[in-house]
Amino acid sequence: MEDDLNLKNQLNKSYESIGDKLQRWFDSLITNLPNLVVAIIVFALAYILSSIIRKYLKRFLKKFIEQASLRSLIATIASIVIIAMGLFIALGVLNLDTFLKSLLAGAGVAGLAIGLALQSSLSNTFSGIYLSLRDIINIGDWVETNGFSGFVEEINLRNTVIKESDNNLVMIPNKMVVENAFKNYGLTERVRVVLKCGIGYESKLVEVEETVKEIIAKQFPPGNNENIEFHYLEFGDSSINFQIRFWIQAKSKLTILEARSTAIKLIKAAFDEKGINIPFPIRTLHINAEDTKKLKNY
């Protein structure tokens, strides 16, 4: 009986203690409610301000910095700084000075732990900064990397976004772009196009060479120190094969494909006009007399 009374008293004390704590928390919430509202407003304003500054900072930097990726990087860092400042001000409004000091004191240890846990993400971040600072790849360039090719849409702190020719977007981690070989068509303005073709054995080779060179030079004029190169390659099974190499103004693979297509149409039209034959593969069958008799009887 006495044990039951003790247990009952302990339960009553526990209920009273919980009730007192909840009451103190509720009083504290009511007391600090204005500060909480102000802190939320401060952080919300910082977030909105960061978005606005990021947008207009990109436009402002466009006057001084040509690289779109670098402008985006600077704007993103500025946005993160403003959000961090808003967070610290909000914590100060809530009188969480002790928490703020603990947060700053533990930043070193936490940073080490997070760095070990997020090595891959940090590597992508530093790779993104490297790509943005170096003028080796820019937004709008046509690149081939890691088995994908297309226009560079965005370089952020994690991925390089490429839009392929079929309009699909590919997110490639920045680390893979930096560590693997890639071809950037945007680094050079003049590229060389190679086109191969074959002509019949009855063709006049000098005439063919002059005709092709004249057409290409008229459509794609060579620049300084640039030549239109024409070479016969081999005696093929049904044709004499040649290749022509010429220069065009291009910063994307699509332009190269269009130039090759245009050259094919012009060469075909010129060959048709001059009666130059572009043969297709021919197979000749030799049949002896006995086989001929069998075919006739059949």
Side-chain angles (χ1 to χ4, degrees), residues 125-182:
T125 299
F126 285 114
S127 296
I129 294 173
Y130 172 80
L131 291 174
S132 299
L133 294 176
R134 294 293 304 275
D135 192 18
I136 57 175
I137 181 171
N138 296 299
I139 294 174
D141 290 348
W142 180 283
V143 299
E144 293 179 355
T145 177
N146 292 278
F148 301 98
S149 62
F151 289 105
V152 178
E153 287 287 304
E154 181 184 0
I155 301 175
N156 54 46
L157 294 178
R158 181 172 176 79
N159 301 312
T160 297
V161 184
I162 293 178
K163 178 182 283 188
E164 294 190 295
S165 56
D166 58 3
N167 206 40
N168 284 318
L169 295 177
V170 181
M171 316 293 177
I172 304 176
N174 293 326
K175 178 182 177 182
M176 295 179 64
V177 177
V178 172
E179 293 183 349
N180 297 318
F182 68 89

Side-chain angles (χ1 to χ4, degrees), residues 8 26 30-31 51 68 94 109 136 143 174 180 196 205 212 220 226 258 270:
K8 187 176 182 180
F26 181 75
I30 296 300
T31 303
S51 300
L94 291 174
V109 178
I136 57 175
V143 299
N174 293 326
N180 297 318
K196 296 181 180 181
L205 302 187
V212 173
F220 306 102
E226 294 177 354
E258 291 173 346

Side-chain angles (χ1 to χ4, degrees), residues 188-205:
T188 54
E189 295 183 355
R190 300 285 290 179
V191 296
R192 180 178 282 170
V193 180
V194 179
L195 178 62
K196 296 181 180 181
C197 185
I199 55 172
Y201 276 90
E202 73 282 358
S203 303
K204 297 179 181 179
L205 302 187

Side-chain angles (χ1 to χ4, degrees), residues 7-264:
L7 180 60
K8 187 176 182 180
N9 290 332
Q10 289 178 359
L11 290 174
N12 289 333
K13 288 180 180 178
S14 298
Y15 290 146
E16 290 177 0
S17 177
I18 293 173
D20 291 340
K21 275 192 174 181
L22 290 175
Q23 184 64 38
R24 287 197 301 272
W25 287 353
F26 181 75
D27 293 340
S28 178
L29 178 62
I30 296 300
T31 303
N32 293 307
L33 186 60
N35 290 344
L36 179 61
V37 173
V38 172
I40 293 174
I41 293 175
V42 167
F43 185 76
L45 289 175
Y47 183 81
I48 296 172
L49 183 62
S50 69
S51 300
I52 295 174
I53 287 181
R54 181 179 180 182
K55 178 180 178 181
Y56 285 97
L57 187 59
K58 283 184 179 180
R59 295 182 182 178
F60 175 76
L61 292 174
K62 196 172 184 180
K63 301 177 182 177
F64 309 99
I65 302 175
E66 293 184 1
Q67 292 176 252
S69 56
L70 182 57
R71 297 197 301 267
S72 178
L73 175 64
I74 295 174
T76 300
I77 293 176
S79 175
I80 293 173
V81 170
I82 292 173
I83 292 176
M85 290 176 60
L87 175 62
F88 286 121
I89 294 173
L91 293 175
V93 171
L94 291 174
N95 296 319
L96 296 177
D97 297 336
T98 304
F99 173 75
L100 189 57
K101 291 177 182 178
S102 301
L103 181 65
L104 293 174
V109 178
L112 178 60
I114 292 173
L116 292 174
L118 300 177
Q119 285 185 355
S120 179
S121 297
L122 290 175
S123 178
N124 287 325
T125 299
F126 285 114
S127 296
I129 294 173
Y130 172 80
L131 291 174
S132 299
L133 294 176
R134 294 293 304 275
D135 192 18
I136 57 175
I137 181 171
N138 296 299
I139 294 174
D141 290 348
W142 180 283
V143 299
E144 293 179 355
T145 177
N146 292 278
F148 301 98
S149 62
F151 289 105
V152 178
E153 287 287 304
E154 181 184 0
I155 301 175
N156 54 46
L157 294 178
R158 181 172 176 79
N159 301 312
T160 297
V161 184
I162 293 178
K163 178 182 283 188
E164 294 190 295
S165 56
D166 58 3
N167 206 40
N168 284 318
L169 295 177
V170 181
M171 316 293 177
I172 304 176
N174 293 326
K175 178 182 177 182
M176 295 179 64
V177 177
V178 172
E179 293 183 349
N180 297 318
F182 68 89
K183 181 188 288 187
N184 185 356
Y185 288 84
L187 293 180
T188 54
E189 295 183 355
R190 300 285 290 179
V191 296
R192 180 178 282 170
V193 180
V194 179
L195 178 62
K196 296 181 180 181
C197 185
I199 55 172
Y201 276 90
E202 73 282 358
S203 303
K204 297 179 181 179
L205 302 187
V206 175
E207 180 186 11
V208 170
E209 180 178 351
E210 292 177 350
T211 300
V212 173
K213 280 187 173 182
E214 181 182 352
I215 293 169
I216 295 299
K218 185 177 181 181
Q219 183 67 29
F220 306 102
N224 295 331
N225 300 320
E226 294 177 354
N227 295 316
I228 297 175
E229 299 178 3
F230 184 100
H231 301 96
Y232 286 105
L233 302 177
E234 61 182 351
F235 293 101
D237 294 335
S238 57
S239 63
I240 298 176
N241 300 322
F242 70 85
Q243 78 170 12
I244 184 163
R245 302 198 298 178
F246 56 94
W247 296 86
I248 64 169
Q249 190 84 8
K251 284 192 173 184
S252 73
K253 192 172 183 179
L254 180 61
T255 308
I256 297 174
L257 294 175
E258 291 173 346
R260 186 178 288 123
S261 176
T262 300
I264 289 174

Side-chain angles (χ1 to χ4, degrees), residues 261-272:
S261 176
T262 300
I264 289 174
K265 289 186 286 186
L266 292 173
I267 292 173
K268 177 64 168 60
F271 282 3
D272 289 344

